[in-house]
Amino acid sequence: GAGVSQTPSNKVTEKGKYVELRCDPISGHTALYWYRQSLGQGPEFLIYFQGTGAADDSGLPNDRFFAVRPEGSVSTLKIQRTERGDSAMYLCASSYRTEPLSDYTFGSGTRLTVV
Amino acid sequence: AQSVAQPEDQVNVAEGNPLTVKCTYSVSGNPYLFWYVQYPNRGLQFLLKYITGDNLVKGSYGFEAEFNKSQTSFHLKKPSALVSDSALYFCAVRDFANDYKLSFGAGTTVTVRA
Protein backbone atom coordinates (compact mmCIF):
# COMPACT_ATOMS: atom_id res chain seq x y z
CA GLY A 1 0.00 0.00 0.00
CA ALA A 2 0.89 3.64 -0.10
CA GLY A 3 1.55 3.89 3.61
CA VAL A 4 1.70 1.93 6.85
CA SER A 5 -1.79 0.95 7.88
CA GLN A 6 -2.73 0.26 11.50
CA THR A 7 -6.03 -1.16 12.66
CA PRO A 8 -8.05 -0.45 14.63
CA SER A 9 -7.39 3.26 15.01
CA ASN A 10 -8.98 3.18 18.44
CA LYS A 11 -9.55 0.29 20.82
CA VAL A 12 -11.27 0.41 24.19
CA THR A 13 -11.07 -2.75 26.24
CA GLU A 14 -11.76 -3.83 29.77
CA LYS A 15 -9.00 -4.61 32.20
CA GLY A 16 -8.00 -8.24 31.94
CA LYS A 17 -9.06 -8.70 28.33
CA TYR A 18 -6.90 -9.76 25.40
CA VAL A 19 -6.28 -7.40 22.47
CA GLU A 20 -4.64 -7.62 19.08
CA LEU A 21 -3.29 -4.63 17.18
CA ARG A 22 -2.54 -4.99 13.50
CA CYS A 23 0.10 -3.35 11.32
CA ASP A 24 0.25 -3.58 7.54
CA PRO A 25 3.61 -2.18 6.37
CA ILE A 26 4.57 -0.65 3.07
CA SER A 27 4.91 -3.34 0.43
CA GLY A 28 8.52 -4.46 0.09
CA HIS A 29 9.63 -3.11 3.46
CA THR A 30 11.48 -5.91 5.20
CA ALA A 31 11.97 -4.16 8.53
CA LEU A 32 9.04 -3.52 10.86
CA TYR A 33 9.00 -1.84 14.26
CA TRP A 34 6.55 -1.34 17.09
CA TYR A 35 6.73 1.63 19.45
CA ARG A 36 4.56 2.67 22.38
CA GLN A 37 3.79 6.30 23.15
CA SER A 38 2.36 7.07 26.55
CA LEU A 39 0.64 10.36 27.19
CA GLY A 40 3.10 13.24 27.35
CA GLN A 41 6.07 11.12 26.34
CA GLY A 42 8.01 10.28 23.25
CA PRO A 43 7.60 6.91 21.59
CA GLU A 44 9.52 4.02 23.14
CA PHE A 45 10.87 1.05 21.23
CA LEU A 46 9.11 -2.27 21.74
CA ILE A 47 10.22 -4.73 19.06
CA TYR A 48 11.90 -4.95 15.67
CA PHE A 49 11.32 -7.52 12.96
CA GLN A 50 13.60 -8.28 10.06
CA GLY A 51 11.50 -10.45 7.79
CA THR A 52 9.54 -12.98 9.82
CA GLY A 53 11.77 -13.06 12.87
CA ALA A 54 11.90 -10.75 15.86
CA ALA A 55 15.48 -9.49 15.75
CA ASP A 56 15.14 -7.48 18.95
CA ASP A 57 12.24 -7.72 21.42
CA SER A 58 14.09 -6.09 24.28
CA GLY A 59 11.56 -3.28 24.55
CA LEU A 60 8.56 -5.47 25.32
CA PRO A 61 7.66 -4.55 28.91
CA ASN A 62 6.73 -8.03 30.15
CA ASP A 63 5.53 -11.43 29.01
CA ARG A 64 1.96 -10.21 28.51
CA PHE A 65 3.18 -8.57 25.30
CA PHE A 66 3.93 -10.60 22.21
CA ALA A 67 4.24 -9.80 18.52
CA VAL A 68 4.31 -11.90 15.37
CA ARG A 69 4.97 -11.41 11.69
CA PRO A 70 4.40 -14.88 10.24
CA GLU A 71 4.75 -14.11 6.54
CA GLY A 72 7.16 -11.21 6.74
CA SER A 73 4.51 -8.62 5.99
CA VAL A 74 1.59 -7.95 8.35
CA SER A 75 2.42 -7.89 12.04
CA THR A 76 0.18 -8.31 15.05
CA LEU A 77 0.96 -7.01 18.53
CA LYS A 78 -0.83 -9.07 21.15
CA ILE A 79 -1.45 -8.02 24.71
CA GLN A 80 -2.81 -10.48 27.25
CA ARG A 81 -4.55 -9.64 30.52
CA THR A 82 -4.54 -5.93 29.74
CA GLU A 83 -3.91 -3.46 32.53
CA ARG A 84 -4.80 0.21 32.76
CA GLY A 85 -1.12 1.05 32.44
CA ASP A 86 -1.13 -0.43 28.95
CA SER A 87 -3.23 2.51 27.76
CA ALA A 88 -1.16 4.31 25.14
CA MET A 89 -0.75 4.99 21.45
CA TYR A 90 0.86 2.02 19.74
CA LEU A 91 2.81 3.00 16.65
CA CYS A 92 4.07 0.77 13.90
CA ALA A 93 6.74 1.72 11.38
CA SER A 94 8.43 0.02 8.47
CA SER A 95 11.53 0.60 6.40
CA TYR A 96 13.27 -0.94 3.45
CA ARG A 97 16.52 -1.40 5.31
CA THR A 98 17.72 -0.76 8.80
CA GLU A 99 20.71 1.49 8.42
CA PRO A 100 20.28 5.16 9.35
CA LEU A 101 20.02 6.25 5.73
CA SER A 102 16.80 4.32 5.44
CA ASP A 103 13.86 6.28 6.77
CA TYR A 104 11.09 4.86 8.82
CA THR A 105 7.50 5.40 7.72
CA PHE A 106 5.12 5.44 10.66
CA GLY A 107 1.49 4.47 10.67
CA SER A 108 -1.19 6.61 12.29
CA GLY A 109 -1.21 4.41 15.35
CA THR A 110 -3.74 2.54 17.45
CA ARG A 111 -4.91 4.32 20.56
CA LEU A 112 -5.53 1.68 23.21
CA THR A 113 -7.60 2.54 26.26
CA VAL A 114 -7.96 0.01 29.04
CA VAL A 115 -10.86 0.77 31.38
CA ALA B 1 23.43 4.76 25.56
CA GLN B 2 22.17 7.27 23.06
CA SER B 3 19.69 9.88 24.18
CA VAL B 4 18.22 13.23 23.25
CA ALA B 5 16.72 15.95 25.40
CA GLN B 6 14.18 18.57 24.47
CA PRO B 7 14.45 21.23 27.16
CA GLU B 8 11.19 23.01 26.32
CA ASP B 9 7.78 21.41 26.78
CA GLN B 10 6.11 24.22 24.86
CA VAL B 11 7.07 26.87 22.35
CA ASN B 12 4.70 29.68 21.43
CA VAL B 13 5.32 32.01 18.51
CA ALA B 14 3.33 34.41 16.38
CA GLU B 15 2.70 33.57 12.75
CA GLY B 16 5.43 34.95 10.54
CA ASN B 17 8.05 34.91 13.28
CA PRO B 18 11.01 32.54 13.39
CA LEU B 19 10.47 29.22 15.10
CA THR B 20 13.16 27.28 16.97
CA VAL B 21 12.69 23.96 18.74
CA LYS B 22 15.69 22.88 20.77
CA CYS B 23 17.30 19.46 21.01
CA THR B 24 20.54 18.30 22.60
CA TYR B 25 22.00 14.86 22.23
CA SER B 26 24.28 12.45 24.03
CA VAL B 27 25.87 9.70 21.95
CA SER B 28 28.94 7.56 21.72
CA GLY B 29 30.22 7.61 18.19
CA ASN B 30 28.67 9.39 15.26
CA PRO B 31 25.22 10.84 15.89
CA TYR B 32 22.35 9.98 13.58
CA LEU B 33 19.75 12.61 14.41
CA PHE B 34 16.16 13.05 13.30
CA TRP B 35 13.17 15.34 13.67
CA TYR B 36 9.58 14.12 13.47
CA VAL B 37 6.27 15.98 13.73
CA GLN B 38 3.02 14.60 15.10
CA TYR B 39 -0.40 16.12 14.51
CA PRO B 40 -3.27 15.27 16.89
CA ASN B 41 -4.26 11.60 16.80
CA ARG B 42 -1.83 10.91 14.01
CA GLY B 43 1.42 9.02 13.63
CA LEU B 44 4.82 10.55 13.24
CA GLN B 45 5.88 12.30 10.07
CA PHE B 46 9.55 12.51 9.14
CA LEU B 47 10.89 16.06 8.75
CA LEU B 48 14.64 15.73 8.32
CA LYS B 49 17.77 13.92 9.41
CA TYR B 50 21.47 14.41 9.93
CA ILE B 51 23.75 11.52 9.10
CA THR B 52 26.91 13.21 7.91
CA GLY B 53 27.99 16.16 5.77
CA ASP B 54 26.70 19.71 5.92
CA ASN B 55 25.77 20.94 9.36
CA LEU B 56 22.66 22.68 8.01
CA VAL B 57 20.06 20.14 6.98
CA LYS B 58 16.99 21.11 4.99
CA GLY B 59 13.78 19.15 5.30
CA SER B 60 10.09 19.10 4.59
CA TYR B 61 7.63 22.03 4.92
CA GLY B 62 10.39 24.65 5.02
CA PHE B 63 12.06 23.28 8.15
CA GLU B 64 15.79 23.06 8.64
CA ALA B 65 18.05 21.96 11.46
CA GLU B 66 21.56 22.87 12.43
CA PHE B 67 23.92 20.22 13.73
CA ASN B 68 26.41 21.68 16.21
CA LYS B 69 28.97 19.17 17.40
CA SER B 70 30.65 21.42 19.96
CA GLN B 71 27.32 22.18 21.64
CA THR B 72 25.89 18.69 20.99
CA SER B 73 22.75 20.30 19.65
CA PHE B 74 20.42 19.73 16.73
CA HIS B 75 17.89 22.57 16.86
CA LEU B 76 14.96 22.64 14.47
CA LYS B 77 14.23 25.97 12.79
CA LYS B 78 11.79 27.60 10.47
CA PRO B 79 12.32 31.21 9.34
CA SER B 80 8.62 32.11 9.20
CA ALA B 81 6.14 30.00 11.18
CA LEU B 82 2.62 29.19 10.00
CA VAL B 83 -0.46 28.44 12.10
CA SER B 84 -0.47 25.01 10.45
CA ASP B 85 2.95 24.28 12.01
CA SER B 86 1.21 23.92 15.38
CA ALA B 87 1.94 20.34 16.40
CA LEU B 88 4.08 18.12 18.61
CA TYR B 89 7.73 17.86 17.57
CA PHE B 90 10.12 15.07 18.48
CA CYS B 91 13.86 14.92 18.22
CA ALA B 92 15.30 11.41 17.95
CA VAL B 93 18.62 9.62 17.68
CA ARG B 94 19.38 6.31 16.05
CA ASP B 95 21.32 3.96 18.28
CA PHE B 96 24.90 3.58 17.06
CA ALA B 97 25.17 -0.04 18.13
CA ASN B 98 21.67 -1.04 17.08
CA ASP B 99 20.99 1.37 14.28
CA TYR B 100 17.41 0.27 13.71
CA LYS B 101 16.32 1.68 17.06
CA LEU B 102 15.14 5.27 17.55
CA SER B 103 15.33 6.97 20.93
CA PHE B 104 12.98 9.93 21.17
CA GLY B 105 12.90 13.02 23.29
CA ALA B 106 9.79 13.84 25.29
CA GLY B 107 8.52 16.20 22.65
CA THR B 108 7.87 19.93 22.33
CA THR B 109 4.41 21.30 21.68
CA VAL B 110 4.54 24.18 19.22
CA THR B 111 1.68 26.66 19.09
CA VAL B 112 1.69 29.28 16.36
CA ARG B 113 -0.86 32.02 16.97
CA ALA B 114 -2.41 33.99 14.13
Short mmCIF file of all heavy atoms in Angstrom, two decimals, chain A residues 33 35 37 40-43 45 48 56 58 89 91 98-104 106-108 111, chain B residues 32 34 36 38 41-44 46 49 51 88 90 94 98-107:
data_model
loop_
_atom_site.label_atom_id
_atom_site.label_comp_id
_atom_site.label_asym_id
_atom_site.label_seq_id
_atom_site.Cartn_x
_atom_site.Cartn_y
_atom_site.Cartn_z
N TYR A 33 8.74 -2.24 12.88
CA TYR A 33 9.00 -1.84 14.26
C TYR A 33 7.69 -1.49 14.97
O TYR A 33 6.78 -0.94 14.36
CB TYR A 33 9.88 -0.58 14.30
CG TYR A 33 11.00 -0.55 13.29
CD1 TYR A 33 10.75 -0.15 11.98
CD2 TYR A 33 12.29 -0.90 13.63
CE1 TYR A 33 11.77 -0.10 11.04
CE2 TYR A 33 13.32 -0.86 12.70
CZ TYR A 33 13.05 -0.46 11.40
OH TYR A 33 14.06 -0.44 10.48
N TYR A 35 6.40 0.68 18.40
CA TYR A 35 6.73 1.63 19.45
C TYR A 35 5.47 1.90 20.27
O TYR A 35 4.35 1.78 19.77
CB TYR A 35 7.23 2.97 18.87
CG TYR A 35 8.65 2.93 18.36
CD1 TYR A 35 8.96 2.31 17.15
CD2 TYR A 35 9.69 3.51 19.08
CE1 TYR A 35 10.26 2.26 16.70
CE2 TYR A 35 10.99 3.47 18.63
CZ TYR A 35 11.28 2.85 17.44
OH TYR A 35 12.57 2.80 16.99
N GLN A 37 3.72 4.89 22.74
CA GLN A 37 3.79 6.30 23.15
C GLN A 37 2.76 6.54 24.24
O GLN A 37 1.56 6.58 23.97
CB GLN A 37 3.54 7.23 21.95
CG GLN A 37 3.68 8.69 22.28
CD GLN A 37 3.43 9.57 21.08
OE1 GLN A 37 2.97 9.13 20.03
NE2 GLN A 37 3.75 10.84 21.20
N GLY A 40 2.09 12.28 26.92
CA GLY A 40 3.10 13.24 27.35
C GLY A 40 4.54 12.77 27.20
O GLY A 40 5.46 13.43 27.67
N GLN A 41 4.72 11.65 26.52
CA GLN A 41 6.07 11.12 26.34
C GLN A 41 6.36 10.86 24.88
O GLN A 41 5.45 10.80 24.05
CB GLN A 41 6.22 9.83 27.13
CG GLN A 41 6.06 9.98 28.63
CD GLN A 41 6.26 8.67 29.35
OE1 GLN A 41 6.91 7.75 28.84
NE2 GLN A 41 5.71 8.56 30.54
N GLY A 42 7.63 10.69 24.58
CA GLY A 42 8.01 10.28 23.25
C GLY A 42 7.82 8.79 23.07
O GLY A 42 7.73 8.04 24.05
N PRO A 43 7.75 8.34 21.83
CA PRO A 43 7.60 6.91 21.59
C PRO A 43 8.79 6.12 22.14
O PRO A 43 9.92 6.60 22.12
CB PRO A 43 7.56 6.82 20.05
CG PRO A 43 7.12 8.18 19.61
CD PRO A 43 7.71 9.13 20.59
N PHE A 45 10.68 2.26 22.02
CA PHE A 45 10.87 1.05 21.23
C PHE A 45 10.31 -0.17 21.95
O PHE A 45 10.54 -0.35 23.15
CB PHE A 45 12.36 0.87 20.97
CG PHE A 45 12.72 -0.44 20.32
CD1 PHE A 45 12.59 -0.61 18.95
CD2 PHE A 45 13.19 -1.50 21.08
CE1 PHE A 45 12.94 -1.80 18.35
CE2 PHE A 45 13.54 -2.70 20.49
CZ PHE A 45 13.42 -2.85 19.12
N TYR A 48 11.47 -5.14 17.06
CA TYR A 48 11.90 -4.95 15.67
C TYR A 48 11.92 -6.31 14.98
O TYR A 48 12.46 -7.28 15.51
CB TYR A 48 13.28 -4.29 15.67
CG TYR A 48 14.18 -4.61 14.50
CD1 TYR A 48 13.79 -4.33 13.20
CD2 TYR A 48 15.43 -5.15 14.71
CE1 TYR A 48 14.62 -4.60 12.13
CE2 TYR A 48 16.28 -5.43 13.66
CZ TYR A 48 15.88 -5.16 12.37
OH TYR A 48 16.71 -5.42 11.33
N ASP A 56 14.90 -8.11 17.66
CA ASP A 56 15.14 -7.48 18.95
C ASP A 56 13.78 -7.23 19.61
O ASP A 56 13.01 -6.41 19.11
CB ASP A 56 15.90 -6.16 18.77
CG ASP A 56 16.22 -5.47 20.09
OD1 ASP A 56 15.73 -5.89 21.15
OD2 ASP A 56 16.98 -4.48 20.05
N SER A 58 13.66 -6.54 22.96
CA SER A 58 14.09 -6.09 24.28
C SER A 58 13.21 -5.00 24.88
O SER A 58 13.25 -4.76 26.08
CB SER A 58 15.54 -5.58 24.21
OG SER A 58 15.64 -4.47 23.34
N MET A 89 -0.71 5.07 22.91
CA MET A 89 -0.75 4.99 21.45
C MET A 89 0.31 3.99 21.02
O MET A 89 1.48 4.11 21.42
CB MET A 89 -0.48 6.36 20.83
CG MET A 89 -0.38 6.34 19.32
SD MET A 89 -1.97 6.22 18.52
CE MET A 89 -2.36 7.98 18.39
N LEU A 91 2.39 2.59 17.98
CA LEU A 91 2.81 3.00 16.65
C LEU A 91 3.60 1.89 15.97
O LEU A 91 4.45 1.25 16.60
CB LEU A 91 3.68 4.25 16.73
CG LEU A 91 3.01 5.51 17.25
CD1 LEU A 91 4.06 6.56 17.59
CD2 LEU A 91 2.03 6.07 16.24
N THR A 98 17.63 -1.17 7.41
CA THR A 98 17.72 -0.76 8.80
C THR A 98 18.78 0.29 9.06
O THR A 98 18.81 0.87 10.11
CB THR A 98 18.02 -1.97 9.72
OG1 THR A 98 19.29 -2.53 9.33
CG2 THR A 98 16.94 -3.01 9.61
N GLU A 99 19.66 0.54 8.10
CA GLU A 99 20.71 1.49 8.42
C GLU A 99 20.12 2.89 8.49
O GLU A 99 19.04 3.15 7.95
CB GLU A 99 21.86 1.43 7.41
CG GLU A 99 21.54 1.99 6.04
CD GLU A 99 21.06 0.92 5.10
OE1 GLU A 99 20.64 -0.14 5.56
OE2 GLU A 99 21.09 1.15 3.89
N PRO A 100 20.83 3.82 9.11
CA PRO A 100 20.28 5.16 9.35
C PRO A 100 19.86 5.91 8.09
O PRO A 100 19.02 6.79 8.16
CB PRO A 100 21.43 5.88 10.05
CG PRO A 100 22.18 4.80 10.72
CD PRO A 100 22.12 3.63 9.79
N LEU A 101 20.43 5.57 6.95
CA LEU A 101 20.02 6.25 5.73
C LEU A 101 18.61 5.88 5.30
O LEU A 101 18.01 6.55 4.49
CB LEU A 101 21.00 5.92 4.60
CG LEU A 101 22.39 6.57 4.71
CD1 LEU A 101 23.30 6.03 3.62
CD2 LEU A 101 22.27 8.07 4.61
N SER A 102 18.12 4.79 5.84
CA SER A 102 16.80 4.32 5.44
C SER A 102 15.76 4.87 6.41
O SER A 102 15.81 4.59 7.60
CB SER A 102 16.77 2.79 5.43
OG SER A 102 15.51 2.32 5.04
N ASP A 103 14.83 5.62 5.91
CA ASP A 103 13.86 6.28 6.77
C ASP A 103 12.72 5.36 7.15
O ASP A 103 12.26 4.55 6.36
CB ASP A 103 13.26 7.50 6.05
CG ASP A 103 14.31 8.54 5.73
OD1 ASP A 103 15.29 8.62 6.48
OD2 ASP A 103 14.13 9.25 4.73
N TYR A 104 12.32 5.51 8.37
CA TYR A 104 11.09 4.86 8.82
C TYR A 104 9.89 5.56 8.18
O TYR A 104 9.91 6.77 7.99
CB TYR A 104 10.90 5.08 10.31
CG TYR A 104 11.67 4.29 11.29
CD1 TYR A 104 12.90 3.73 11.03
CD2 TYR A 104 11.13 4.12 12.56
CE1 TYR A 104 13.59 3.03 12.00
CE2 TYR A 104 11.81 3.42 13.54
CZ TYR A 104 13.04 2.88 13.25
OH TYR A 104 13.71 2.20 14.22
N PHE A 106 6.00 5.81 9.56
CA PHE A 106 5.12 5.44 10.66
C PHE A 106 3.67 5.37 10.20
O PHE A 106 3.25 6.13 9.32
CB PHE A 106 5.21 6.47 11.78
CG PHE A 106 6.40 6.30 12.69
CD1 PHE A 106 7.60 6.92 12.40
CD2 PHE A 106 6.32 5.52 13.82
CE1 PHE A 106 8.70 6.77 13.22
CE2 PHE A 106 7.41 5.35 14.65
CZ PHE A 106 8.61 5.97 14.35
N GLY A 107 2.92 4.49 10.83
CA GLY A 107 1.49 4.47 10.67
C GLY A 107 0.85 5.52 11.57
O GLY A 107 1.54 6.20 12.34
N SER A 108 -0.48 5.62 11.49
CA SER A 108 -1.19 6.61 12.29
C SER A 108 -1.45 6.15 13.72
O SER A 108 -1.93 6.92 14.53
CB SER A 108 -2.52 6.96 11.62
OG SER A 108 -2.30 7.61 10.40
N ARG A 111 -4.80 3.81 19.19
CA ARG A 111 -4.91 4.32 20.56
C ARG A 111 -5.66 3.29 21.40
O ARG A 111 -6.84 3.03 21.16
CB ARG A 111 -5.64 5.66 20.60
CG ARG A 111 -5.72 6.23 22.02
CD ARG A 111 -6.16 7.68 22.05
NE ARG A 111 -5.23 8.57 21.39
CZ ARG A 111 -4.09 9.00 21.91
NH1 ARG A 111 -3.72 8.59 23.12
NH2 ARG A 111 -3.34 9.84 21.24
N TYR B 32 23.34 10.02 14.65
CA TYR B 32 22.35 9.98 13.58
C TYR B 32 21.09 10.60 14.15
O TYR B 32 20.42 9.98 14.96
CB TYR B 32 22.08 8.55 13.13
CG TYR B 32 23.31 7.79 12.66
CD1 TYR B 32 23.52 6.47 13.06
CD2 TYR B 32 24.25 8.37 11.83
CE1 TYR B 32 24.63 5.76 12.64
CE2 TYR B 32 25.37 7.67 11.41
CZ TYR B 32 25.55 6.36 11.82
OH TYR B 32 26.66 5.66 11.41
N PHE B 34 17.39 12.94 14.07
CA PHE B 34 16.16 13.05 13.30
C PHE B 34 15.19 14.01 13.98
O PHE B 34 15.22 14.18 15.20
CB PHE B 34 15.46 11.68 13.20
CG PHE B 34 16.29 10.62 12.54
CD1 PHE B 34 17.31 9.99 13.22
CD2 PHE B 34 16.03 10.25 11.22
CE1 PHE B 34 18.09 9.02 12.60
CE2 PHE B 34 16.79 9.27 10.60
CZ PHE B 34 17.81 8.66 11.29
N TYR B 36 10.90 14.58 13.90
CA TYR B 36 9.58 14.12 13.47
C TYR B 36 8.53 15.10 13.99
O TYR B 36 8.71 15.74 15.03
CB TYR B 36 9.26 12.73 14.02
CG TYR B 36 10.02 11.61 13.36
CD1 TYR B 36 11.30 11.27 13.79
CD2 TYR B 36 9.46 10.89 12.31
CE1 TYR B 36 12.00 10.24 13.18
CE2 TYR B 36 10.16 9.85 11.71
CZ TYR B 36 11.42 9.54 12.15
OH TYR B 36 12.11 8.51 11.54
N GLN B 38 4.24 15.38 14.87
CA GLN B 38 3.02 14.60 15.10
C GLN B 38 1.84 15.54 15.26
O GLN B 38 1.83 16.39 16.15
CB GLN B 38 3.19 13.74 16.35
CG GLN B 38 2.03 12.78 16.60
CD GLN B 38 2.29 11.89 17.81
OE1 GLN B 38 2.85 12.32 18.81
NE2 GLN B 38 1.89 10.63 17.70
N ASN B 41 -3.73 12.92 17.15
CA ASN B 41 -4.26 11.60 16.80
C ASN B 41 -3.69 11.04 15.50
O ASN B 41 -4.37 10.28 14.81
CB ASN B 41 -5.80 11.64 16.73
CG ASN B 41 -6.40 11.98 18.07
OD1 ASN B 41 -6.01 11.44 19.10
ND2 ASN B 41 -7.32 12.93 18.07
N ARG B 42 -2.49 11.42 15.20
CA ARG B 42 -1.83 10.91 14.01
C ARG B 42 -0.48 10.31 14.37
O ARG B 42 0.06 10.53 15.45
CB ARG B 42 -1.62 12.05 13.00
CG ARG B 42 -2.87 12.73 12.53
CD ARG B 42 -3.77 11.78 11.77
NE ARG B 42 -3.13 11.22 10.60
CZ ARG B 42 -3.08 11.81 9.42
NH1 ARG B 42 -3.60 13.00 9.24
NH2 ARG B 42 -2.49 11.21 8.41
N GLY B 43 0.08 9.56 13.44
CA GLY B 43 1.42 9.02 13.63
C GLY B 43 2.47 10.09 13.41
O GLY B 43 2.18 11.27 13.26
N LEU B 44 3.70 9.64 13.39
CA LEU B 44 4.82 10.55 13.24
C LEU B 44 5.16 10.75 11.77
O LEU B 44 5.20 9.80 11.00
CB LEU B 44 6.05 9.99 13.95
CG LEU B 44 5.89 9.77 15.45
CD1 LEU B 44 7.09 9.03 16.01
CD2 LEU B 44 5.71 11.09 16.16
N PHE B 46 8.13 12.18 9.24
CA PHE B 46 9.55 12.51 9.14
C PHE B 46 9.72 13.91 8.59
O PHE B 46 9.08 14.29 7.60
CB PHE B 46 10.22 11.48 8.23
CG PHE B 46 11.63 11.81 7.84
CD1 PHE B 46 12.67 11.57 8.70
CD2 PHE B 46 11.90 12.33 6.59
CE1 PHE B 46 13.98 11.85 8.32
CE2 PHE B 46 13.18 12.62 6.20
CZ PHE B 46 14.23 12.38 7.06
N LYS B 49 16.79 14.71 8.67
CA LYS B 49 17.77 13.92 9.41
C LYS B 49 19.17 14.45 9.14
O LYS B 49 19.44 15.08 8.10
CB LYS B 49 17.69 12.45 8.99
CG LYS B 49 18.09 12.21 7.54
CD LYS B 49 17.88 10.76 7.15
CE LYS B 49 18.17 10.56 5.66
NZ LYS B 49 17.78 9.21 5.20
N ILE B 51 22.93 12.73 9.04
CA ILE B 51 23.75 11.52 9.10
C ILE B 51 25.22 11.93 9.06
O ILE B 51 26.03 11.54 9.89
CB ILE B 51 23.42 10.55 7.96
CG1 ILE B 51 21.94 10.20 7.96
CG2 ILE B 51 24.29 9.30 8.04
CD1 ILE B 51 21.48 9.46 9.18
N LEU B 88 3.13 18.67 17.64
CA LEU B 88 4.08 18.12 18.61
C LEU B 88 5.32 17.67 17.85
O LEU B 88 5.21 16.92 16.88
CB LEU B 88 3.43 16.95 19.35
CG LEU B 88 4.21 16.24 20.45
CD1 LEU B 88 4.67 17.20 21.53
CD2 LEU B 88 3.32 15.15 21.06
N PHE B 90 9.21 15.98 17.78
CA PHE B 90 10.12 15.07 18.48
C PHE B 90 11.47 15.04 17.81
O PHE B 90 11.59 14.89 16.60
CB PHE B 90 9.56 13.64 18.46
CG PHE B 90 8.35 13.44 19.31
CD1 PHE B 90 7.09 13.41 18.74
CD2 PHE B 90 8.46 13.26 20.68
CE1 PHE B 90 5.96 13.21 19.52
CE2 PHE B 90 7.35 13.05 21.47
CZ PHE B 90 6.10 13.03 20.88
N ARG B 94 19.28 7.74 16.34
CA ARG B 94 19.38 6.31 16.05
C ARG B 94 20.53 5.76 16.86
O ARG B 94 21.61 6.34 16.92
CB ARG B 94 19.64 6.06 14.56
CG ARG B 94 18.50 6.27 13.61
CD ARG B 94 17.44 5.23 13.65
NE ARG B 94 17.65 4.13 12.74
CZ ARG B 94 17.15 4.04 11.50
NH1 ARG B 94 16.44 5.03 11.01
NH2 ARG B 94 17.39 2.99 10.76
N ASN B 98 22.84 -0.37 17.66
CA ASN B 98 21.67 -1.04 17.08
C ASN B 98 20.95 0.00 16.24
O ASN B 98 19.99 0.63 16.70
CB ASN B 98 20.75 -1.58 18.17
CG ASN B 98 21.47 -2.54 19.10
OD1 ASN B 98 21.95 -3.58 18.67
ND2 ASN B 98 21.56 -2.17 20.35
N ASP B 99 21.40 0.17 15.00
CA ASP B 99 20.99 1.37 14.28
C ASP B 99 19.57 1.32 13.73
O ASP B 99 19.17 2.21 13.01
CB ASP B 99 21.99 1.71 13.18
CG ASP B 99 22.08 0.60 12.14
OD1 ASP B 99 21.29 -0.36 12.20
OD2 ASP B 99 22.95 0.70 11.27
N TYR B 100 18.82 0.29 14.09
CA TYR B 100 17.41 0.27 13.71
C TYR B 100 16.55 0.96 14.76
O TYR B 100 15.38 1.22 14.54
CB TYR B 100 16.94 -1.17 13.55
CG TYR B 100 17.32 -2.04 14.73
CD1 TYR B 100 16.54 -2.06 15.87
CD2 TYR B 100 18.48 -2.79 14.70
CE1 TYR B 100 16.90 -2.82 16.96
CE2 TYR B 100 18.84 -3.57 15.79
CZ TYR B 100 18.05 -3.57 16.91
OH TYR B 100 18.43 -4.32 17.99
N LYS B 101 17.10 1.24 15.91
CA LYS B 101 16.32 1.68 17.06
C LYS B 101 16.40 3.20 17.23
O LYS B 101 17.47 3.78 17.28
CB LYS B 101 16.83 1.00 18.32
CG LYS B 101 15.99 1.22 19.55
CD LYS B 101 16.62 0.57 20.78
CE LYS B 101 16.76 -0.92 20.67
NZ LYS B 101 17.22 -1.52 21.94
N LEU B 102 15.23 3.83 17.30
CA LEU B 102 15.14 5.27 17.55
C LEU B 102 14.88 5.53 19.02
O LEU B 102 14.01 4.89 19.61
CB LEU B 102 14.01 5.89 16.73
CG LEU B 102 14.26 6.22 15.26
CD1 LEU B 102 12.95 6.53 14.57
CD2 LEU B 102 15.22 7.39 15.13
N SER B 103 15.62 6.49 19.58
CA SER B 103 15.33 6.97 20.93
C SER B 103 14.83 8.40 20.81
O SER B 103 15.52 9.26 20.25
CB SER B 103 16.59 6.93 21.80
OG SER B 103 17.03 5.60 21.97
N PHE B 104 13.63 8.65 21.34
CA PHE B 104 12.98 9.93 21.17
C PHE B 104 13.10 10.79 22.42
O PHE B 104 13.17 10.29 23.55
CB PHE B 104 11.48 9.72 20.90
CG PHE B 104 11.17 9.18 19.53
CD1 PHE B 104 11.16 7.81 19.30
CD2 PHE B 104 10.87 10.04 18.49
CE1 PHE B 104 10.86 7.30 18.04
CE2 PHE B 104 10.57 9.55 17.23
CZ PHE B 104 10.57 8.18 17.00
N GLY B 105 13.09 12.11 22.19
CA GLY B 105 12.90 13.02 23.29
C GLY B 105 11.45 13.03 23.72
O GLY B 105 10.60 12.36 23.11
N ALA B 106 11.15 13.81 24.74
CA ALA B 106 9.79 13.84 25.29
C ALA B 106 8.83 14.67 24.46
O ALA B 106 7.62 14.59 24.66
CB ALA B 106 9.83 14.36 26.72
N GLY B 107 9.37 15.43 23.54
CA GLY B 107 8.52 16.20 22.65
C GLY B 107 8.36 17.65 23.09
O GLY B 107 8.45 17.98 24.27
#
